[in-house]
Amino acid sequence: MFHSRILKLLAATAIAVGVAAGANAAELRYAHVGAEGDIQTIFATEAATGIAEATSDAVTVQVYPASQLGGVAEMVDGVRMGSISMGHHDFASLARIVPEVAAFNAPFIYRDGAHALAATDPQTSPALQAINEKLVAEGGVRIIGRIYRGARHISSNFEVKSPEDLAGKPFRAVPLDLWVSMVKGFGATPTPVEVAELPTALMTGLVVGQENPLTMITANKLYEVQSHIAMTGHMQAVLAVFVNEEVWQGLEEEQRQAITEVLEREAQESLVMATESEVELVEEVKGHGMTVITEAEGLDLEAFRTQVLEQIRADFPSYETYIEQIAAVE
């Protein structure tokens, strides 16, 4: 199912969706950093199609994947200024506006993917609604949806079974404070690297490891520069879909509702896609010669959990209230 959908999307001749028509027409510029084939690219493309259909082409979406409009910082700044209508990335990318939003990407806080989506639903999550009010007031940005990409795991050029194996080694951190803290919890030395530069950084030894969902590892062919995957599942990778507030309020209420419904449908579809693809992707990376390490092979998951959570609590005490609210979501 997963690969057939990729082939269907890669066969498309353009990402643009329709041509806006009518007096109230709007074309939204949607940016993200995901590569072709990754769940987030599929999500954005199908959301664009769905939005056009749901609004009878009154709202169309032009998607710019693979950092075409800049890296994470440039994308967030573009949405704040309105030069980019909307985008998606880790919740922590918005911590430049409201630091506590990064709590939604904290490691080891979700039970599974379904819990991650429930706890980050803009329509029903009290914790996220409180954060959204701050984002609108302080940055003119609103979270309107989310994507589930699967659990994040560690890949490296050597066997990793415990934090001791990463002690003092340069390890790629997403250029966000939360990731830097988490990588310290891994025992490694955080080295910020943008996703577009990651294969080269791994190839040259600037970093010896990184962490991402299997969808990203395969879409970016990291098996060409990495030999091992430790199935830590330390994060349920859930991304925020966010929009410029002025652009959002410039749409008609019916259009906003239609977009919200499309994004919710695609969020649930991303959960299905990520869940169904995990087993398949494990076999795929093995087929490319990678060694997969689970608890059965000696992975000390509890050591990672304990050490990482200690680091997060020390660095971000303000997250505790939100983490408690997240844990309470059924």
Side-chain angles (χ1 to χ4, degrees), residues 29-275:
R29 287 160 54 92
Y30 187 150
H32 66 89
V33 302
E36 286 289 351
D38 189 83
I39 282 177
Q40 59 180 310
T41 304
I42 296 172
F43 176 98
T45 306
E46 294 194 349
T49 301
I51 289 168
E53 291 175 350
T55 63
S56 301
D57 288 333
V59 180
T60 59
V61 180
Q62 178 79 28
V63 182
Y64 297 86
S67 305
Q68 289 181 22
L69 300 186
V72 176
E74 292 83 3
M75 178 180 64
V76 172
D77 286 344
V79 175
R80 292 183 71 175
M81 293 184 296
S83 58
I84 300 172
S85 309
M86 60 188 296
H88 71 244
H89 200 261
D90 295 293
F91 282 80
S93 65
L94 300 174
R96 302 169 57 183
I97 306 171
V98 177
E100 291 79 13
V101 70
F104 292 94
N105 283 134
F108 298 112
I109 64 167
Y110 299 116
R111 296 184 293 274
D112 52 28
H115 180 218
L117 284 189
T120 54
D121 187 339
Q123 305 302 310
T124 61
S125 168
L128 186 56
Q129 289 170 347
I131 288 292
N132 238 351
E133 289 182 5
K134 293 182 179 181
L135 285 170
V136 171
E138 299 177 26
V141 173
R142 177 185 297 272
I143 295 171
I144 57 173
R146 66 269 191 249
I147 308 167
Y148 181 69
R149 294 177 67 205
R152 296 177 78 102
H153 307 289
I154 290 173
S155 70
S156 60
N157 293 322
F158 50 88
E159 184 178 77
V160 173
K161 291 185 175 180
S162 75
E164 292 179 359
D165 297 322
L166 291 172
K169 293 181 171 64
F171 190 97
R172 185 258 180 158
V174 175
L176 299 167
D177 290 343
L178 176 65
W179 262 260
V180 171
S181 179
M182 181 180 70
V183 171
K184 287 180 181 177
F186 287 165
T189 300
T191 305
V193 176
E194 288 285 358
V195 67
E197 302 165 359
L198 182 53
T200 300
L202 291 166
M203 187 182 304
T204 61
L206 175 64
V207 292
V208 299
Q210 66 90 47
E211 51 78 46
N212 255 301
L214 292 177
T215 52
M216 184 276 184
I217 291 171
T218 55
N220 288 269
K221 298 182 179 180
L222 296 188
Y223 46 75
E224 295 179 350
V225 291
Q226 298 272 267
S227 59
H228 288 71
I229 293 181
M231 299 292 284
T232 48
H234 50 274
M235 280 184 176
Q236 298 295 328
V238 57
L239 312 183
V241 181
F242 47 91
V243 66
N244 175 275
E245 178 68 3
E246 186 173 343
V247 168
W248 185 244
Q249 296 303 330
L251 300 175
E252 296 178 358
E253 183 176 351
E254 293 79 3
Q255 294 169 342
R256 294 196 297 269
Q257 181 63 33
I259 292 171
T260 298
E261 291 174 359
V262 169
L263 294 179
E264 175 61 25
R265 183 177 70 239
E266 294 302 327
Q268 297 302 325
E269 187 63 29
S270 71
L271 174 62
V272 173
M273 197 187 316
T275 302

